[in-house]
Amino acid sequence: MIVRRMLVLSALFALAVPLAPSPSRAQGTAGALKIGLIDTISGAYAQVGTDTQHGAQLAIDEINAAGGVGGRRLELVVKDEQLNPTATVQALRELQSAGVTITMGYASSADCLAALPVAAQNDMLVMGSNCIATALTTTKFDKHFFRVAPSDTMLTSAAAQFAHEHFPAIGTWDAYAPDYVTGHDDWTFFSEKLRRLSPGVQTGKAVFVPLAAQDVRSYVTALSSDLPADSAKSHGLYLATFGGATAAVVKQGKPENLFGKFAATINVGGSEPTAAQLGADFPDAWFVYDYYHRAYATAMNRRFVAAYQKAYRDAPNSWSYEGYATIYALRSAIDRAKSVGVDQIIAALEQAPISTPKGVLHYRSDHELAQPVTVFECKGDASAPKQYTCPHWAAIPADKVAK
Amino acid sequence: MAEPLLALSDVHAYYGSAHVLFDLALHVHAGSLLALVGRNGAGKTTTARTILGAGVRSTGSVRFDGVELARIPTPLRARRGIQLVPEDRRIYAGLTVRENLLLGRHAAADGGALPLERVTSLFPMLEPLMARGGRELSGGEQQLVAVARALVARPRLLILDEPTEGLAPVIVEQVGEAVRLLRAEFGTTVLLIEQNAAFALDLADHVAVIDQGRIAFSGTRDAFLGDPTLTERFLTI
Amino acid sequence: MHNVLLPFVGGLGQGVLLFLIASGLTLIYGVMRVLNFSHGGFFMLGAYFTYTLARGHVLPAPLLVAVVVAAGLLTALVGAITERGVFRRLYSLPEISSLLATFALLLVFEGLGRLVWGIAPLSQPQSPAFLGEMHLGPVTLPSYDVFLYVVGAGVVVGLEWLVEKTEFGRMVRATAADRQMAALLGIDVERIFLAMFSLGIFLAGLGGGLVSPLIGLTPELAVSFIIQAFAIVIVGGLGSVRGTLLAAIFFGLLNAYLVALRPELADFSLYIGMGLFLIFRPQGIMGRAGSPGELAA
């Protein structure tokens, strides 16, 4: 009986999850333009897809309330890829057979890389809302792919730029990064760009941690044991983890006061949800990522933040922004193309000014969105209502983060 | 006549879909020793297992001391006073002899377990073995420990399944002595399952013969020995 | 204290944590012969129960310890219910069936975790007293690691006493070695199973509770330690508590030294360790050749 009840419960749960987060009723109107959102809405990185969906849905609700695009309503079709490229491709094929040609989302670069060849073959559009691998606009370039998030090269470039401008006193940067190709490449890129900007700066110890590692105390020790006594003045930490990996290093580094041993920490690829998760435990660190809601003073951003607050009782984060910006990028293109044909949209995206809360942006010829990267400082604070505050922020302009 | 201590009637037993016991009836009277003899595979061990509800599916009635056992799980049957010494003895190899013997206490009625000193005084050859591990015992020693372990529970019915199997003749003699001793000492009722009919008949008051899952004869030892056709059929193995 | 000692301290702490997770697994296998894949689910529950009981607040160390123990007990209660409802049916099945069934159960727990605690990672802050360091001569030890050593030693000594020195332990060993004979001797085998299953699950819950201040909590915790725990249980010799302790410390130290000396190999430490054992001592540290280990402390 218990088995059966548990099975029923889990089945109900499986049904309920994809439906629950959407605040608006499915419209299902004939003639609506369907946009496929393939994103990770379950598992450890479920927040990526959920927040992307929230942002996209908000944009769609706004556009539909204003009469839709070219007289057609927009409708989101959500598929959970579970951070699994196989599921991503499966979802893409399902959308294809349902006649959906415009897709967005893709929590990880592996998902984008898996989806792109299939999409190209079937003439479908891949709007990379979340995925950041540089290869997608270089070695793996295909005209069907347009990125909304900044590439990891742009993020790393912004981090080096920021380190150079903001922390001139730091003579050595050490690294704590995930142990995969991008983790290594980005660190190399960061050190090279930083040395170009400030020739006196050195790179110290680089510790690479397996992606799935939960007990990282040995890595923490490996990083901190070689630091000189005055490291709190002279060393900076390049931290390239996100999500659970950041939680592990923060919590397990605490007894050694790991972050206190560095003059500054720059967390490339991390963002506010991690600070929210760790609350007062979160150290003082500078996130380098797509978006922070207070960093942009445009009218569109003010409207976006206010509407998002109203709908979801929380400020939008990078992923919410990416979902929202993707929909508005599509609208900019469709308005210009006066067509929903994939080739016409591609042509329009290449030309059209893209309105986003960060400002009016343009796609480069490699389909990378020329855009600023956001740097913002967050730190745990037991006295703050959310147990953390983000007191400083800056936007590193598009021309300073280009390649 | 008083109700027998153990009464099986209409018993059928199965292993999976194999039907092994057919309409079996068996009575063991308090204080007596019933020898259940029969060839290999006749259903002797299955009968013992059926009495304890261990590892065999059965229908029909098994009554012990006036209580129907059919729906009572094995450990509770044991605690009602039935101890089985299985044919492979099943001494715990990883436990010492002392620990093996102490396990016998769980089936004893409250406070009724036989103290270990009592056991060693009955079977002095156990004394030097007490600290030894179960896996270090010879076959004869194992048999002795298995009987002693059952005795610790001070059972009302002791079922011995092939206690002489694989033992040297001199040891078989010792086992026979042990059975006599515990009957004399405690008046224990015994169901002795044996292929070695000579050994069994030497000790028995009553005899039952099982053949192909059916009781072929049941009566006193004298009646059995007095019928040449029976002895002819079942003693020449 | 430098390159030689530092990884030793870290590896030992890591090993003890792994031991706490794996000990319940080996106990359950040793007695019931069920490879319990859902162990990770109970581990996850222990971590989440700790978070829920502490309500994510910073607690003084004694209170946090009490909360972790309470979380372990709650997890054990869930374990007992599961034993009655599910596991009882698995004891007589072949290992492959129970492996599949417990794997399914693992997924159910993961789903329930999502349903109850949501998808966003949660964080249980560490007690301030556990954030310090202790100095023993030239060696500096994180105080939480020292606490974990004590808990690990307590679990080993406690289990050893329970299994080897008590009447209950005698019944447990008898049931583990031959459950039918145990029943014939009047031992209530079902109750022994329930008790030992609950104890094993208590240890899983305790492990989850003790890990909770160190990491971010997501339902994926259910699967994240289970492969390591299985490797440890196998290398330790299935059913052996002491073997599990040695294997856990072995893996902890191997990983820590690889991180310090050959970091490019550290990611493979689990496979390196398992490979070494499968080649040179396939029966595990405490197992005997040819048979799965008997339950032993």
Side-chain angles (χ1 to χ4, degrees), chain A residues 91-104:
Chain A
L92 194 68
R93 293 199 186 283
E94 283 169 23
L95 288 174
Q96 188 210 353
S97 25
V100 178
T101 54
I102 304 170
T103 72
M104 61 175 287

Side-chain angles (χ1 to χ4, degrees), chain A residues 1-3 6-7 9-10 13 16-17 41-47 50 179 205 207-208 210-212 214-215 217-219 221-222 225-226 243-244 247-249 251-252 254-256 277-281 387, chain C residues 2-3 6 10-11 13-14 17 81 85-86 89 105 108-109 111-112 114-115 119-126 130-133 142 145 148 212-218 220-221 224-225 255-256 259 266-267:
Chain A
M1 270 312 282
I2 288 182
V3 186
M6 281 181 164
L7 287 176
L9 247 166
S10 57
F13 165 73
V17 163
I41 50 181
S42 63
Y45 294 100
Q47 203 183 348
T50 313
D179 192 7
K205 180 144 191 168
V207 171
F208 294 95
L211 283 174
Q214 293 270 13
D215 193 333
R217 285 175 287 175
S218 300
Y219 298 92
T221 307
S225 59
D226 286 351
V249 66
K251 304 191 107 187
Q252 291 164 44
K254 229 173 167 191
E256 293 195 35
Q277 177 202 349
L278 290 165
D281 278 343
Q387 305 268 299
Chain C
H2 218 247
N3 280 357
L6 266 180
Q14 197 176 340
L17 205 54
I81 294 167
V86 181
R89 297 151 209 262
L105 204 56
V108 171
F109 278 125
L112 285 175
R114 253 177 247 155
L115 201 62
I119 48 175
L122 302 173
S123 171
Q124 170 58 39
Q126 182 62 287
F130 285 141
L131 288 171
E133 293 186 322
D145 281 26
L148 290 180
S212 66
L214 294 176
I215 56 175
L217 308 184
T218 68
E220 276 60 41
L221 262 187
S224 61
F225 280 93
N255 182 258
V259 167
D267 205 1

Side-chain angles (χ1 to χ4, degrees), chain A residues 150 155 158-159 162-163 166-167 264-276 282-296 315-319 321-322 358 372-380 386 388-396:
Chain A
L155 294 177
F162 183 72
H166 208 81
F167 300 112
T265 298
I266 291 184
N267 184 203
V268 184
S271 68
E272 210 184 338
T274 303
F282 193 73
D284 187 344
W286 291 83
F287 290 121
V288 181
Y289 208 47
D290 197 354
Y291 174 83
Y292 177 63
H293 69 282
R294 290 196 279 184
Y296 297 93
N317 58 33
S318 282
W319 302 313
Y321 161 80
E322 286 160 1
K358 281 183 174 183
V373 165
T374 316
V375 181
F376 55 113
E377 180 191 27
C378 296
K379 54 183 168 192
K386 291 172 123 180
Y388 73 96
T389 56
C390 300
H392 302 103
W393 52 84
I396 311 291

Side-chain angles (χ1 to χ4, degrees), chain A residues 167-315:
Chain A
F167 300 112
I170 292 176
T172 309
W173 286 86
D174 303 291
Y176 182 97
D179 192 7
Y180 63 152
V181 179
T182 313
H184 289 264
D185 288 352
D186 285 353
W187 166 239
T188 309
F189 184 87
F190 173 85
S191 357
E192 282 169 2
K193 171 155 183 181
L194 189 55
R195 269 199 297 267
R196 270 201 312 277
L197 294 167
S198 335
V201 170
Q202 297 182 342
T203 49
K205 180 144 191 168
V207 171
F208 294 95
V209 188
L211 283 174
Q214 293 270 13
D215 193 333
V216 298
R217 285 175 287 175
S218 300
Y219 298 92
V220 169
T221 307
L223 177 62
S224 68
S225 59
D226 286 351
L227 289 172
D230 71 336
S231 64
K233 292 200 177 81
S234 57
H235 278 242
L237 177 62
Y238 167 93
L239 180 70
T241 55
F242 50 91
T246 304
V249 66
V250 165
K251 304 191 107 187
Q252 291 164 44
K254 229 173 167 191
E256 293 195 35
N257 187 25
L258 177 70
F259 292 90
K261 289 178 177 167
F262 292 96
T265 298
I266 291 184
N267 184 203
V268 184
S271 68
E272 210 184 338
T274 303
Q277 177 202 349
L278 290 165
D281 278 343
F282 193 73
D284 187 344
W286 291 83
F287 290 121
V288 181
Y289 208 47
D290 197 354
Y291 174 83
Y292 177 63
H293 69 282
R294 290 196 279 184
Y296 297 93
T298 64
M300 186 174 179
N301 190 49
R302 272 197 299 280
R303 272 203 319 277
F304 168 49
V305 174
Y308 197 92
Q309 290 269 19
K310 189 157 175 275
Y312 305 106
R313 301 185 181 283
D314 201 0

Side-chain angles (χ1 to χ4, degrees), chain C residues 23-216:
Chain C
S23 57
L25 201 59
T26 210
L27 216 54
I28 288 172
Y29 181 82
V31 180
M32 280 146 274
R33 293 284 181 262
V34 169
L35 276 173
N36 178 19
F37 242 108
S38 67
H39 208 68
F42 293 107
F43 171 73
M44 173 205 80
L45 283 183
Y48 271 127
F49 282 151
T50 302
Y51 174 85
T52 300
L53 291 173
R55 293 196 279 158
H57 290 162
V58 179
L59 299 182
L63 198 53
L64 181 67
V65 173
V67 161
V68 168
V69 171
L73 292 173
L74 263 179
T75 312
L77 183 67
V78 177
I81 294 167
T82 321
E83 201 273 346
R84 290 270 141 153
V86 181
F87 280 85
R88 172 160 301 194
R89 297 151 209 262
L90 303 178
Y91 299 146
S92 53
L93 297 179
E95 272 171 17
I96 184 69
S97 313
S98 58
L99 205 64
L100 285 174
T102 60
F103 185 68
L105 204 56
L106 174 73
L107 299 181
V108 171
F109 278 125
E110 210 184 323
L112 285 175
R114 253 177 247 155
L115 201 62
V116 176
W117 287 280
I119 48 175
L122 302 173
S123 171
Q124 170 58 39
Q126 182 62 287
S127 287
F130 285 141
L131 288 171
E133 293 186 322
M134 294 172 102
H135 301 278
L136 288 177
V139 186
T140 306
L141 297 166
S143 52
Y144 196 60
D145 281 26
V146 175
F147 171 68
L148 290 180
Y149 300 161
V150 172
V151 175
V155 168
V156 172
V157 172
L159 285 180
E160 188 150 322
W161 171 78
L162 182 75
V163 171
E164 297 293 338
K165 302 279 187 245
T166 66
E167 180 161 350
F168 176 75
R170 198 158 57 227
M171 294 198 274
V172 168
R173 279 181 290 151
T175 305
D178 183 345
R179 62 184 75 160
Q180 195 179 54
M181 190 64 225
L184 290 172
L185 288 169
I187 295 171
D188 190 339
V189 172
E190 290 193 357
R191 230 192 247 176
I192 299 277
F193 281 170
L194 179 64
M196 290 310 284
F197 189 84
S198 305
L199 177 62
I201 298 305
F202 169 74
L203 291 170
L206 193 70
L210 291 169
V211 168
S212 66
L214 294 176
I215 56 175

